[in-house]
Structures are given as structure tokens and as C-alpha cells.
Amino acid sequence: MHPCNLPFFRSRPDFLARIANAPDAYRIELSKSGAPVPVRASDGKWLGSRYDPAREAARWLESQPISRGDLPVLFGLSPAHLRIISARPLLVVERDASLVKAVLEEIDLGGVLDGVTIILDDDGFRMMSAIRNAQDPFRHLRVRILASPYADDEKWIRRLASSALDIQREMSLNALSYAHHFPIWMQTVRSNLEAWASSPDASGIMNALAGETAVVVAAGPSLDRNVADLALVKGKAIIIAVDTALRKLDAAGIVPDIAVAVDANHANSLDVVGLSPEARSAMLFVDHIASPEIIEAFTGPKAFLRTVNYTYDIEDKPVRMVTPLDRLLAEIAGREDLFSWQSGGSVSTNAFSLAHILGAGRVIMVGQDLAYTDGRSHARGVGYEDDAARGISRFLGREMVNRVFTANGDVLVDAWDGGKARTSTVLREYLHWYEMTMERGYGRTFSEVIDATEGGARKKGMMPMRLRDAAKLLGSVTDPAGKIRGILERAGPIVRPGWRERTRAIADRAGVLAKTPERIADELPMARWIALPAYIGGADLPEEQRDALVLAALRSSAEFLAKVWS
């Protein structure tokens, strides 16, 4: 590699090895203007102008300018086009390792590589991780796709463009969700502090059920078909149920071993209304932001796990995505880190992650339709139906209300039993999460994952099977729940002494910074996230007006935090 380029790649041994092993398929020629241009040896094609590559690249960029708020992603490595783009960070995606090898070995790009990430990618996976890592929600509003005119594989370009749009949609939804929910999360976390402070350190459950079976129960409409068959697995596998399914299970006489709750919305508290004492005695695994009404309703052991998701670094190594809320909770707990699980946006994905944490060898999925089976979004009798029931009147029947709730189901996916199933873009995102987790994530650690939903969407990597047949694979009663309950009952508290004083210090710090708002963005990251709508909404304002709007939002956010945590 050219000595001026090497410093930018020393931390990427896998990348260096890949291009070092690539065949020599390109040579570098000088154009009429003296600029170096890669030339493909097999057909002599120049990947740049023979006359003036810089001028050609400038005209190309004029036709598709990069705006403030863009995160540029260039498809195809072209030295001239790389040089002409001044925006940073800049991602460059190339599939041909031989081309990258020739360019980096023969052309001095040291003057432009600062802030540039070059990715070798054929299917878009590495690119999606790189976009996720480079994207700044306070600055970037969109992914700006730029295809080099010399990237001539149209199929590859379309595949990557589709992946880039997918990750842009994911990040936009996450940013909007954070902006909307952070104030609510602050209040629910504050309300849950006492319960959290007295809860056990759940880290002892890691691999406690190594090789055993976990049954993950969601609240999809197909649960109506096989809820009674859950009795066949009781005691032989640990039953993990999402909060939305609890009332349905309770009505069928099924008491799950573990209930899982992660959502802060008041509507989720409907999931525990009217639950029997037996159902409320189940172990409860929750996120710190979960509805306080749900946490208060349960009488059994309660364990708090922080939802922390992962991405991949530029060398394909998993990296935790730590947020200001994670750091704040760790500060209150007096710990460097908190025991965590992963989420794909739905509570059922947390339950799936819990099965992995427990070390389950086999996972059986139930009620995980991810589609509108029989024209419904959920099983009958769940708390979600209470919202629908409030919409029923003499002019609007249940059938019409249900149509309203499923009106965005305009996406078709492969069905569990063949054919097609109707779903929504949001449910499809959850489906993609499961399939990606099975293909590239921790789903590969399970010996098998059985989809016993008996309806809804087909999930790649999972084996369709009826629940009654899946139950026949289990052995005798082993009481796995008793093992987990014992671990929690013997564990010490997760929150160390002095948490009240640490909480008060956070409130005091927010109060002080509210009086000096120019320091808030750097010293109180949580306030910056609460103020995210001002960053997004003010993006197109003149700079002076935008700065004033953001500063006012930061001050209000700090005052809000000081009040909540006092």
C-alpha cells in the first residue's frame, strides 16, 4: 500500500489482508491532465476520464449536489470522484478488492482520506453497519446515495441502494421514536427507581438453561389457534411470554414462567388489568423504561435488563451502541455497566434475546405472526383490544375498527403455511430483524428455532411446525423456571448503596447547566437527546435562528431533567 495511505488503514487488518490477497487485475495510467486513473486489465477500460478526471468529476457532482444534513455514500471507488467530494464523513463502497488494491497501492490519497471509510461489500451488510456508525442524528437528515459513473454493475447498485434506504428508514424511525419517547422514559425510569434499586443482579442467569428449550409467546392472532397446546410444554421448557399475551394466556389457564415488558406507554398497562394472582406471581423481566403499572402488578421476582443494541465495526466485530440513558442508569447504579438484552423494536424480540441469554439450545416461537392473520393484528382478548373497543359505536362496528387498526397492511410476505400473508412496513421490519439475527446474529447459536405460530409470516432460518408436534420433542418435566427463580432469589441487588445521592447529584447538575445552556450539549447528553426535535425541525432555518431554537430547547430539556430527577 502507498505509504501515504497506510496510516488510515493500520487498524483494519482484515481489510488489508483481503486486498493483499486480491489478484492484480488493474493498472494505473496517467490521463492527459496528469491525474492517475485505474484501468481494467481484462478489457482495457479506463475507470475515469482519459483527459481530465477532476473536471469530469466536478461536472458529475454539480448534477447531484450534497446538501447540509446529507450523509454521502459513494458507490464505486473512483479517485477523482473521491477527491471532489469534500463532505465528511464520507463512505465509499466497492465490491472489487482488486480495484481497491490497485488504487491504494499506486495512488496517493492521503490528503483526502481523513473522514473517509472505504468498505468492501457485496450484499450491503457492511455498508449498513458503516452508515449506522457514521450517522449523527443531530446533523444528518438523510443518506445521500452517489453512484460513480464507473460503477457499472447495476444489479449491485440497486441492491446497495435498497439496503441504504432500509437503514435510513431504520435510523429515522429510531430518531423519531427517541425524540418522542425520551421525556416519557425519563418519567417512567424515575417512577421505577425504587423497584429497580431493590431488584436482584440478574447476571447469574447467563447460560443457566444451557441446551434446554425456551418457548417464546407473543400475542399475534394465531395464538387463538394453539394457546391451549402450551399446557403440553409447561414444566418441560421455560415459557417466556410478552406482556401483551398475558391476559390471553391467563384466560386459557396458562401461567407463563417469565413475563417480559419493555414499553413505557400507559396503554401497555392494560396488559395486566384483571390478571389472576397466579399470573402475577410469574417472574418479571423488564426494561427500566417499562410501564410502572406493570411492574407494580407483579408479586414474583423482578429483574431489570437494559436494552442495548449492537452494530458492527469496520472489521465486522460486534460493538454495543451505548446511549446517554445507558450511561445515566449506570451512574445511578454505581456500576460501569448494566446487565442487558437486545431488541429489534418489539417486545417479542427482547423475549427472544432472553432465551439466548439463558443459553437455550432450542427455541419454540408461538403467536409470532408478524402479519395480519385472519384480518387481525393481535389475538382475541389481549389488552390491545380495549383500545379497539373504545372505538366501537352504533356507527362503527368491531369489524370496521379492526380494519382501521390493520389499514396499513399493504405489504405481502411469504406465509407460514405457503402463499402470501398481508403485513405492514413496521411488522416487516421486525421480520427482517428476526431473519438477520438468524442469519448473522446470535440466532446462529441455537441448535434449532421452531416457528410454531401456525400462521402469519414465514421466517427464514426458522422451521415451521405445529406447536402440538413441537411439544413431542421435549423430554420429561425438569422445572427450568425453578432454577431461574432460585438464581434471582439468591442474587444481591443490582443497584449499589448511595443511589439516592447519585440521583440527586444528576438533578443538581442539570439545574446548574440550565443556567448556562451553551454547556448543555457537551456536558448533559441526555438533554441533547430530549432536544432532538429542535435539531431536526430547525435544520432548514438560517443558522442564527436554528442555533437560537436549539439553545432554547436545550435549556428547557435541562430544566425538565432537573425537575424529574429531583
Side-chain angles (χ1 to χ4, degrees):
M1 182 174 289
H2 194 287
C4 293
N5 299 334
L6 185 58
F8 296 94
F9 299 93
R10 290 190 191 278
S11 62
R12 300 179 60 185
D14 292 348
F15 176 85
L16 291 175
R18 189 173 175 189
I19 62 173
N21 293 326
D24 295 321
Y26 293 84
R27 65 180 185 272
I28 304 300
E29 300 279 359
L30 294 181
S31 65
K32 294 289 187 181
S33 67
V37 177
V39 179
R40 193 158 55 211
S42 62
D43 58 4
K45 180 176 180 180
W46 283 55
L47 303 187
S49 170
R50 293 171 179 262
Y51 299 95
D52 193 341
R55 184 178 179 185
E56 176 191 54
R59 290 198 302 266
W60 167 83
L61 188 61
E62 286 176 2
S63 67
Q64 44 188 349
I66 299 171
S67 303
R68 184 178 74 175
D70 286 350
L71 173 60
V73 180
L74 175 63
F75 294 168
L77 176 58
S78 166
H81 294 81
L82 171 58
R83 292 181 187 280
I84 201 65
I85 300 173
S86 60
R88 297 293 184 270
L90 168 65
L91 306 180
V92 180
V93 191
E94 178 55 63
R95 67 178 307 185
D96 190 343
S98 294
L99 173 59
V100 177
K101 177 182 181 179
V103 169
L104 294 183
E105 284 187 349
E106 302 296 333
I107 302 176
D108 177 4
L109 294 174
V112 297
L113 286 176
D114 191 25
V116 174
T117 301
I118 299 177
I119 308 149
L120 280 168
D121 194 359
D122 185 64
D123 61 6
F125 183 79
R126 288 191 182 95
M127 178 198 65
M128 291 175 72
S129 295
I131 292 174
R132 190 183 290 113
N133 297 337
Q135 194 261 358
D136 180 353
F138 301 95
R139 173 187 169 192
H140 296 130
L141 298 180
R142 67 169 179 168
V143 175
R144 182 71 168 95
I145 298 171
L146 303 164
S148 162
Y150 296 99
D152 53 6
D153 188 333
E154 290 296 330
K155 186 176 181 180
W156 176 73
I157 291 173
R158 287 195 299 270
R159 182 164 63 246
L160 261 66
S162 177
S163 296
L165 293 175
D166 283 345
I167 194 63
Q168 175 178 275
R169 182 169 58 249
E170 174 194 305
M171 293 187 304
S172 297
L173 289 173
N174 286 345
L176 292 172
S177 176
Y178 270 53
H180 175 72
H181 288 110
F182 250 123
I184 300 172
W185 291 346
M186 288 298 95
Q187 293 173 328
T188 56
V189 168
R190 185 67 179 88
S191 297
N192 292 333
L193 265 183
E194 291 282 351
W196 175 39
S198 60
S199 70
D201 178 356
S203 59
I205 69 170
M206 285 285 295
N207 296 316
L209 300 181
E212 298 190 39
T213 299
V215 179
V216 176
V217 185
S222 292
L223 188 59
D224 291 336
R225 303 174 181 178
N226 58 10
V227 63
D229 290 339
L230 286 169
L232 301 174
V233 304
K234 184 66 175 176
K236 302 177 182 179
I238 191 152
I239 301 177
I240 306 171
V242 304
D243 53 350
T244 322
L246 294 175
R247 283 170 52 173
K248 179 72 176 182
L249 299 185
D250 199 22
I254 305 295
V255 178
D257 302 310
I258 295 175
V260 172
V262 298
D263 293 304
N265 299 323
H266 172 72
N268 290 93
S269 65
L270 299 173
D271 298 331
V272 297
V273 172
L275 282 185
S276 67
E278 292 78 16
R280 290 187 287 109
S281 68
M283 291 176 281
L284 178 66
F285 281 71
V286 295
D287 191 284
H288 304 73
I289 66 172
S291 167
E293 291 90 344
I294 292 179
I295 294 172
E296 293 167 3
F298 278 78
T299 59
K302 301 167 187 175
F304 286 75
L305 277 68
R306 181 70 195 117
T307 297
V308 176
N309 287 325
Y310 286 76
T311 184
Y312 292 86
D313 66 14
I314 203 61
E315 288 285 281
D316 289 342
K317 304 297 189 300
V319 178
R320 292 182 63 172
M321 300 171 66
V322 180
T323 70
L325 179 55
D326 303 325
R327 298 188 184 95
L328 180 141
L329 290 169
E331 180 180 350
I332 293 173
R335 294 180 177 270
E336 290 294 321
D337 198 5
L338 295 175
F339 193 48
S340 62
W341 51 8
Q342 294 185 51
S343 176
S346 164
V347 63
S348 70
T349 61
N350 290 76
F352 190 64
S353 175
L354 181 57
H356 167 64
I357 290 169
L358 293 170
R362 176 192 292 124
V363 177
I364 301 174
M365 305 293 289
V366 181
Q368 189 63 69
D369 290 72
L370 300 178
Y372 298 129
T373 305
D374 300 328
R376 303 180 64 86
S377 62
H378 289 72
R380 293 177 175 82
V382 303
Y384 178 85
E385 282 208 326
D386 289 355
D387 279 341
R390 280 191 283 271
I392 297 174
S393 69
R394 60 181 294 189
F395 302 108
L396 194 62
R398 178 173 290 277
E399 182 179 354
M400 183 60 69
V401 168
N402 206 51
R403 288 181 185 175
V404 171
F405 275 89
T406 62
N408 60 347
D410 55 356
V411 179
L412 293 178
V413 295
D414 292 336
W416 182 89
D417 54 357
K420 296 293 182 180
R422 190 167 63 92
T423 188
S424 67
T425 54
V426 173
L427 292 177
R428 184 180 59 183
E429 291 300 316
Y430 300 155
L431 174 62
H432 285 173
W433 181 90
Y434 274 110
E435 294 180 339
M436 187 63 71
T437 301
M438 291 301 300
E439 179 184 356
R440 296 183 182 252
Y442 64 77
R444 295 174 295 177
T445 66
F446 299 122
S447 59
E448 64 177 341
V449 178
I450 296 171
D451 183 9
T453 297
E454 303 185 31
R458 186 181 185 91
K459 303 157 194 74
K460 296 176 184 176
M462 300 186 187
M463 181 191 311
M465 185 183 298
R466 299 196 180 279
L467 178 55
R468 182 170 291 272
D469 294 331
K472 295 176 182 177
L473 302 176
L474 306 181
S476 58
V477 173
T478 59
D479 189 27
K483 187 184 298 186
I484 302 304
R485 187 178 290 263
I487 291 172
L488 295 180
E489 290 174 347
R490 292 188 297 271
I494 183 63
V495 178
R496 290 174 174 160
W499 64 270
R500 287 186 174 85
E501 292 77 10
R502 292 191 291 272
T503 302
R504 181 67 213 183
I506 291 171
D508 291 344
R509 186 164 72 243
V512 169
L513 289 172
K515 299 174 183 176
T516 54
E518 65 278 359
R519 296 168 50 196
I520 294 174
D522 293 328
E523 299 181 36
L524 196 62
M526 187 65 65
R528 193 175 184 222
W529 274 98
I530 295 174
L532 181 59
Y535 285 89
I536 297 174
D540 294 327
L541 293 176
E543 185 173 354
E544 184 176 345
Q545 294 180 22
R546 181 176 185 267
D547 290 346
L549 174 65
V550 167
L551 203 63
L554 289 170
R555 180 188 297 109
S556 297
S557 298
E559 291 171 348
F560 170 77
L561 287 172
K563 182 176 181 180
V564 168
W565 292 102
S566 61

